[in-house]
């Protein structure tokens, strides 16, 4: 069976990095990571780039350590194919970034800061800043990194390129940050964007509280217009459910009324991601043997311990258990990768065709997910109109059709399998 081709759009990020490690630790037969596209999010996009380049640097050290130690090298996905890394959006389409006072900003930035003073040998000398559009293009004689390919092309253009160069329905996008890169790609060429097999999104909260506002999840609140625009592509008539134009200086094309096909979108909101926990005990028990290895410690175990321990400390210090789970790190982003890795096994449960919209302008409800749960229909009407709905819901008969994932095969197994894959050389 051929490997599943994926694009990972991310704002790394602690759980983002764990999601990337989970994907790259897959076998060559399971996954082929074609592109890692970076977006702003919990931190600025330049720090996201440093985090990703540091991760690749540590993975190279880890693979050498495993060879020298006589252990399975693992990371077959990475060995078989070098992913492209592209830098994308540095602000939301609304041009109103929100990240300063959110606790995840603390431990996400600590991924850079902690390693710089605790383990400077894990920070690569070359941070590949030439990948930004404002800096020179990579020189021909410049040494390329060993396990990824940098590009100067903006992330949304790389997304479109990958989708155009691969057969229709052969590439899955795993989006675990704000959806700005995806919205820019869909705005530039919606038909090319709709060649995607499935878009797997970590975002939103439906029947549970938000994690940044009472009703808002961070990724969706960070750029609600992008989320609303992407969700509208699941509708038979995207213009009917599209959000009003954002307050922005960017000139955006209107969303088409009719497209050749609907977007296949699977949503992982906080409702399902929050209960999937990694406890400090499980993490510590996994990496301790690698930290006391006879030769010298595992570079990957050393590196991840730095920022994961900082994260656990911050969770215990700042967050009530009902917000972040029962004393553990919720595996929001890794769960999306885990789904792609295991969906062929079955056991996943979803609510199909949910008419889900995102509030883009509310003072208190920015980024709130609103689901139409009404079932009453006007009998004999030319269009399926809800009784009493006079256009407030923007032509409900052409509503969005989002798949909301509600249950994994076994939430207690996700953390264990993730750690075995990342650290076990499987």
């Amino acid at each position: 069976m051929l490997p599943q081709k994926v694009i990972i759009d991310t704002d790394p990020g602690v759980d983002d990095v764990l999601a990337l490690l989970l994907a790259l630790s897959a076998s060559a037969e399971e996954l082929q990571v074609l592109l890692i596209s970076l977006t702003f999010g919990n931190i600025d996009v330049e720090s996201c780039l440093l985090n990703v380049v540091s991760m690749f640097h540590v993975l190279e050290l880890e693979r050498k350590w495993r060879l020298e130690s006589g252990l399975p090298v693992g990371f077959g996905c990475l060995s078989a194919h070098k992913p492209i890394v592209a830098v994308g959006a540095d602000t939301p389409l609304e041009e109103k970034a929100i990240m300063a006072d959110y606790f995840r900003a603390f431990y996400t930035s600590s991924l850079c800061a902690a390693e710089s003073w605790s383990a400077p040998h894990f920070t690569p000398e070359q941070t590949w800043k030439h990948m930004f559009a404002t800096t020179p293009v990579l020189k021909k004689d410049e040494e390329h990194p060993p396990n990824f390919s940098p590009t100067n092309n903006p992330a949304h253009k790389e997304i479109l390129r990958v989708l155009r160069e691969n057969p229709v329905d052969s590439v899955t996008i795993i989006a675990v940050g704000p959806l700005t890169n995806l919205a820019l790609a869909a705005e530039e060429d919606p038909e090319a964007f709709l060649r995607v097999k499935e878009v797997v999104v970590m975002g939103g909260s439906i029947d549970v509280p938000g994690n940044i506002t009472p009703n808002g999840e961070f990724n969706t609140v960070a750029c609600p217009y992008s989320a609303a625009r992407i969700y509208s592509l699941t509708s038979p008539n995207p213009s009917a459910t599209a959000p009003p134009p954002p307050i922005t200086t960017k000139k955006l094309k209107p969303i088409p009324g009719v497209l050749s096909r609907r977007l296949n979108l699977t949503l992982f909101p906080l409702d399902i991601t929050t209960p999937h926990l990694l406890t400090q005990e499980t993490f510590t028990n996994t990496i301790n043997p690698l930290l006391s290895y006879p030769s010298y410690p595992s570079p990957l175990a050393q590196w991840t311990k730095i920022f994961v321990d900082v994260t656990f400390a911050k969770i215990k210090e700042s967050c009530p258990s009902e917000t972040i789970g029962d004393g553990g790190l919720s595996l929001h982003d890794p769960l999306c990768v885990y789904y792609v890795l295991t969906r062929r096994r079955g056991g996943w449960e979803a609510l199909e065709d949910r008419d889900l919209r995102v509030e883009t302008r509310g003072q208190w409800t920015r980024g709130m997910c609103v689901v139409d749960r009404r079932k009453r229909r006007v009998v004999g009407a030319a269009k399926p109109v809800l009784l009493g709905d006079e256009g407030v819901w923007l032509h409900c008969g052409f509503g969005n059709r989002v798949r909301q994932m509600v249950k994994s095969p076994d939430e207690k197994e996700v953390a264990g399998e993730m750690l075995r894959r990342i650290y076990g050389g499987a």
Side-chain angles (χ1 to χ4, degrees):
M1 188 175 293
L2 294 175
Q4 301 181 84
K5 297 179 179 181
V6 298
I7 295 170
I8 302 177
D9 190 73
T10 177
D11 61 330
V14 172
D15 59 331
D16 301 73
V17 169
L18 292 176
L20 288 169
L21 290 172
L22 177 58
L24 296 172
S25 68
S27 70
E29 294 72 32
E30 289 178 308
L31 283 188
Q32 184 179 8
V33 180
L34 302 176
L35 170 67
I36 297 173
S37 53
L38 303 179
T39 178
F40 78 97
N42 295 299
I43 51 176
D44 61 273
V45 74
E46 185 170 351
S47 296
C48 290
L49 175 60
L50 177 58
N51 290 348
V52 167
V53 175
S54 297
M55 178 194 70
F56 278 111
H57 178 67
V58 171
L59 284 176
E60 190 63 18
L61 297 176
E62 176 73 7
R63 291 160 76 185
K64 292 177 181 177
W65 174 80
R66 291 185 183 183
L67 277 173
E68 294 172 1
S69 302
L71 298 173
V73 175
F75 294 95
C77 166
L78 182 57
S79 299
H81 181 84
K82 290 171 57 171
I84 293 171
V85 174
V87 174
D90 57 359
T91 60
L93 294 182
E94 298 93 332
E95 296 182 346
K96 182 183 179 183
I98 53 161
M99 53 182 150
D101 61 351
Y102 186 45
F103 86 92
R104 287 181 67 192
F106 172 90
Y107 70 71
T108 302
S109 59
S110 73
L111 194 149
C112 294
E115 71 187 49
S116 66
W117 60 262
S118 298
H121 55 292
F122 290 149
T123 303
E125 293 182 6
Q126 172 57 272
T127 58
W128 306 100
K129 293 190 177 186
H130 52 263
M131 290 166 58
F132 290 95
T134 55
T135 56
V137 177
L138 182 66
K139 298 176 182 178
K140 292 183 179 179
D141 58 349
E142 186 170 2
E143 182 183 357
H144 283 252
N147 48 17
F148 75 93
S149 299
T151 179
N152 282 103
N153 292 331
H156 73 279
K157 292 185 179 293
E158 280 297 307
I159 291 172
L160 291 172
R161 181 193 62 77
V162 169
L163 293 174
R164 291 184 187 116
E165 292 180 0
N166 285 275
V168 175
D169 288 333
S170 66
V171 177
T172 296
I173 297 176
I174 305 173
V176 293
L179 298 182
T180 315
N181 286 337
L182 274 64
L184 290 171
E187 187 243 354
E188 180 168 316
D189 191 340
E191 290 293 349
F193 183 76
L194 290 176
R195 294 171 62 88
V196 68
K197 176 180 179 180
E198 182 179 7
V199 175
V200 180
V201 174
M202 190 283 122
S205 57
I206 312 301
D207 295 312
V208 299
N211 60 3
I212 185 170
T213 68
N215 297 295
E217 176 275 330
F218 180 83
N219 288 340
T220 308
V221 173
C223 192
Y225 180 81
S226 293
R229 189 165 176 125
I230 289 297
Y231 294 175
S232 74
L233 297 177
T234 67
S235 170
N237 185 348
S239 63
T241 63
I247 301 173
T248 175
T249 58
K250 296 184 177 74
K251 294 182 179 180
L252 299 171
K253 301 175 185 175
I255 294 178
V258 179
L259 292 165
S260 62
R261 55 190 290 176
R262 292 189 296 110
L263 179 65
N264 178 24
L265 189 146
T266 300
L267 182 67
F268 281 76
L270 294 178
D271 307 53
I272 184 174
T273 62
T274 301
H276 290 79
L277 297 173
L278 171 63
T279 65
Q280 186 160 23
E281 181 182 11
T282 300
F283 176 73
T284 300
N285 289 343
T286 299
I287 66 167
N288 272 352
L290 302 173
L291 295 173
S292 57
Y293 212 75
S295 54
Y296 60 97
S298 154
L300 182 60
Q302 292 182 80
W303 184 65
T304 51
K305 175 179 169 59
I306 294 167
F307 60 84
V308 172
D309 280 357
V310 170
T311 302
F312 280 124
K314 189 63 179 178
I315 288 174
K316 292 175 181 178
E317 173 189 335
S318 303
C319 301
S321 60
E322 63 268 20
T323 302
I324 51 81
D326 187 16
L329 170 63
S330 291
L331 299 175
H332 303 296
D333 299 341
L335 188 63
C336 295
V337 174
Y338 183 80
Y339 160 71
V340 174
L341 281 169
T342 64
R343 59 186 170 186
R344 290 171 175 171
R345 301 180 194 170
W348 292 89
E349 296 181 15
L351 297 174
E352 301 289 342
D353 293 340
R354 304 216 80 186
D355 190 359
L356 187 151
R357 320 280 178 93
V358 174
E359 175 58 57
T360 59
R361 289 188 172 180
Q363 180 180 1
W364 309 118
T365 56
R366 172 187 167 107
M368 178 179 179
C369 291
V370 182
V371 179
D372 190 355
R373 296 176 171 86
R374 299 171 297 175
K375 297 183 182 300
R376 294 174 299 162
R377 302 285 175 178
V378 177
V379 178
K383 294 180 180 180
V385 178
L386 284 168
L387 187 62
D389 192 324
E390 299 180 355
V392 176
W393 192 242
L394 302 176
H395 307 285
C396 58
F398 299 104
N400 292 340
R401 299 180 183 180
V402 173
R403 178 187 303 105
Q404 179 191 338
M405 197 59 63
V406 295
K407 187 177 180 181
S408 65
D410 189 345
E411 69 181 41
K412 295 181 180 179
E413 292 296 319
V414 175
E417 181 166 350
M418 179 187 74
L419 295 178
R420 284 193 296 273
R421 284 174 172 270
I422 292 174
Y423 299 104

